[in-house]
């Protein structure tokens, strides 16, 4: 067996300390804006619940959706009291700003002829007010802003999809607040799964995340994080980096789409019923066991599943109802799992890595791959160049795409639970923490007919905009890599939208033993 590197993970601990080795052993022009966009906050319009988003793409877009000035962190920031809303459902927006007034613009993300978003709604001027310091729970170091509601958003007429609420302060500074207008039904549609629990895990607003405290030390991290606070940086950094480009590509293809979040699937999996595919976007690390169970059952019933990132379904979390609503707190004790109140009486709910005791359940039984290391920067190397996923890319065996493997990676790990038949279609040598290993893209099918694909790299969605300057960084990836990843992802989305992949695409050719002969 090729031994994986024991290196520092994103939480500052060595992978060996997380028990990895033990397990291995056993992303145009400005378009016209619909007049309805000028309705002030609270104005009612005909409801469009259930309007299918593929029709939305024929409407003109608005290329001025981007932030042009962040300003200081307290210039303007905010959060919603719902992670997602059903079409027509209201939610509250909580805002703090040093400006005398601000406006809110709701942009729906999509293709829109290359504009990449459409202005769906805009508020009138809203009085601004700077709010007080956040509250920090002493036991779990959970940060909550606990600001009063500033205004209510009525989402009548908002099509399903991913939204960026842009807060525009009168002094010129801006921030985003992400919001998903979720689909109620997914039958016959490809479901895009957004990852707000992971957004929140990395959120340092107020000084604490699930990774560090104000000093930067892992020991002072939060043990639980709340949605009742803004996101740091732009307000939507994780969505913009790891999800937006995949949404735009899926909408450009015109396939029937539905939208949801991991926290919504936790509470109600009905959007998965009859769905042709579920697409887990570029960084979806934090899952509840309930979410995982619902996704696994959908797979077994014939829903194709794709994992466009790495490190997916790695952390087991619990949702608690505190603050402004149900499931507003994400609990994850991680390496301090013995301090979790659910330990040891409720082992399957203890919040640590899925592969870790108690109730170890490695993610590979769903994803086909295991998270192995961080940080890494390596070429992506094609192995099965004739695989249907690579059709039209022009690749040959050994074709290489610099920097596409990073910053975290997965691999097929002999000895870990993996569905069969499984085929490794990219097999990329790398060095992580001074030790040699491999990153794998893998495809498998299940008896119910579903196909499952995992890219094995965190940079897949970022590569969809490589060379465009859209993210401000490309990790060295270029237009050639963008073309390869785009065509492969198009092949994936089109095939998965047709229904159970095993019924209309070639079967996997098992090759794990061949590629890992020393295992």
């Amino acid at each position: 067996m090729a031994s994986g590197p024991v290196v520092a993970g994103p939480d500052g601990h060595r992978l060996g300390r997380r028990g990895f080795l033990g397990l291995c052993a056993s992303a145009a022009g400005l378009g016209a804006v619909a007049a309805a966009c000028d309705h002030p906050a609270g104005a009612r319009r005909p409801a469009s619940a259930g309007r299918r988003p593929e029709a939305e793409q024929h409407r003109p877009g608005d290329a001025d959706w981007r932030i042009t000035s962040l300003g200081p962190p307290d210039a303007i920031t905010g959060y919603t009291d719902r992670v997602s809303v059903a079409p027509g459902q209201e939610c509250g927006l909580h805002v703090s700003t040093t400006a005398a007034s601000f406006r809110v613009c709701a942009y729906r993300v999509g293709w829109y002829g290359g504009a990449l978003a459409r202005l769906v709604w805009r508020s009138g001027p809203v009085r601004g007010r700077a709010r007080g310091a956040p509250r920090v729970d002493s036991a779990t170091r959970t940060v909550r802003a606990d600001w009063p509601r500033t205004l209510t958003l009525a989402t009548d007429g908002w099509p399903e999809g991913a939204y960026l609420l842009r807060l525009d302060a009168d002094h010129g500074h801006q921030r985003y607040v992400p919001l998903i207008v979720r689909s109620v039904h997914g039958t016959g549609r490809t479901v895009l799964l957004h990852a707000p629990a992971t957004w929140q895990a990395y959120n340092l607003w107020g000084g604490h995340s699930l990774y560090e405290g104000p000093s930067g030390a892992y020991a002072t991290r939060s043990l639980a994080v709340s949605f009742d606070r803004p996101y740091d940086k732009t307000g939507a950094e994780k969505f913009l980096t790891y999800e937006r480009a995949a949404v735009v590509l899926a909408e450009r293809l015109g396939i029937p789409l539905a939208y949801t979040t991991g926290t919504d699937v936790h509470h109600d999996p009905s959007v998965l019923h009859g769905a042709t595919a579920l697409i887990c976007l570029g960084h979806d690390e934090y899952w509840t066991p309930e979410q995982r169970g619902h996704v696994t059952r959908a797979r077994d019933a014939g829903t194709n599943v794709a994992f466009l990132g790495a490190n997916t379904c790695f952390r087991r979390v619990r949702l608690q109802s505190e603050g402004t609503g149900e499931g507003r707190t994400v609990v994850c004790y991680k390496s301090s799992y013995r301090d979790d109140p659910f330990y040891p009486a409720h082992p399957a709910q203890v919040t640590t890595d899925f592969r870790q005791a108690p109730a170890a359940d490695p993610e590979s039984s769903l994803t086909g791959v295991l998270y192995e290391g961080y940080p890494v920067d390596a070429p992506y190397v094609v192995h099965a160049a004739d695989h249907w996923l690579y059709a039209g890319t022009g690749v040959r065996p050994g074709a290489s795409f610099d920097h596409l493997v990073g910053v975290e990676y997965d691999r097929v790990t002999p000895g870990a639970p993996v569905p069969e038949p499984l085929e490794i279609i990219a097999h990329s040598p790398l060095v992580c923490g001074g030790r040699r290993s491999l990153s794998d893209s893998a495809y498998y099918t299940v008896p119910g007919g579903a196909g499952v694909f995992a890219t094995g790299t965190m940079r897949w969605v970022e590569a969809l905009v490589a060379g465009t300057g859209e993210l401000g960084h490309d990790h060295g990836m270029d237009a050639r890599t963008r073309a390869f990843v785009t065509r492969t992802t198009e092949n994936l989305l089109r095939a998965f939208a047709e229904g159970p992949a095993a019924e209309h695409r070639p079967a996997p050719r098992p090759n794990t033993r061949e590629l890992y002969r020393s295992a």
Side-chain angles (χ1 to χ4, degrees), residues 279-303:
I279 310 300
C280 302
L281 302 168
H283 192 179
D284 197 353
E285 180 178 349
Y286 289 77
W287 290 42
T288 66
E290 292 85 355
Q291 176 188 349
R292 178 172 173 176
H294 295 323
V295 170
T296 300
R297 285 186 284 275
R299 177 203 66 182
D300 292 347
T303 297

Side-chain angles (χ1 to χ4, degrees), residues 316-380:
R316 182 194 294 120
V317 302
R318 190 169 63 250
L319 299 181
Q320 290 183 176
S321 297
E322 298 178 55
T324 59
E326 184 180 12
R328 295 288 291 176
T329 300
V330 179
V331 181
C332 194
Y333 279 69
K334 292 162 55 168
S335 58
S336 301
Y337 67 87
R338 289 182 179 84
D339 296 327
D340 189 326
F342 279 57
Y343 179 84
H346 305 285
Q349 292 290 326
V350 171
T351 57
T352 186
D353 304 345
F354 269 105
R355 65 182 68 177
Q356 194 92 306
D361 186 11
E363 70 272 20
S364 55
S365 64
L366 173 61
T367 64
V369 291
L370 274 178
Y371 170 65
E372 183 170 280
Y374 164 94
V376 71
D377 181 281
Y380 180 95

Side-chain angles (χ1 to χ4, degrees), residues 57 104 141 172 191 236 374 417 487 500:
Q57 290 306 304
V104 184
R141 299 179 289 277
V191 180
Y374 164 94
R487 181 57 185 265

Side-chain angles (χ1 to χ4, degrees), residues 109-179:
V109 172
W111 173 237
Y112 298 109
L116 309 182
R118 182 175 78 85
L119 180 62
V120 172
W121 175 87
R122 180 172 58 202
S123 77
V126 181
R127 181 183 176 184
R129 180 174 176 179
R131 301 296 179 181
R135 175 170 61 90
V136 182
D137 181 273
S138 59
T140 59
R141 299 179 289 277
T142 303
V143 178
R144 293 185 177 87
D146 286 343
W147 298 335
R149 180 181 286 197
T150 307
L151 71 159
T152 297
L153 304 178
T155 65
D156 297 278
W158 295 26
E160 303 161 12
Y163 284 75
L164 291 169
L165 307 178
R166 195 181 68 195
L167 310 179
D168 295 339
D170 65 6
H171 52 34
H173 301 313
Q174 302 164 310
R175 282 294 187 289
Y176 291 128
V177 179
L179 180 67

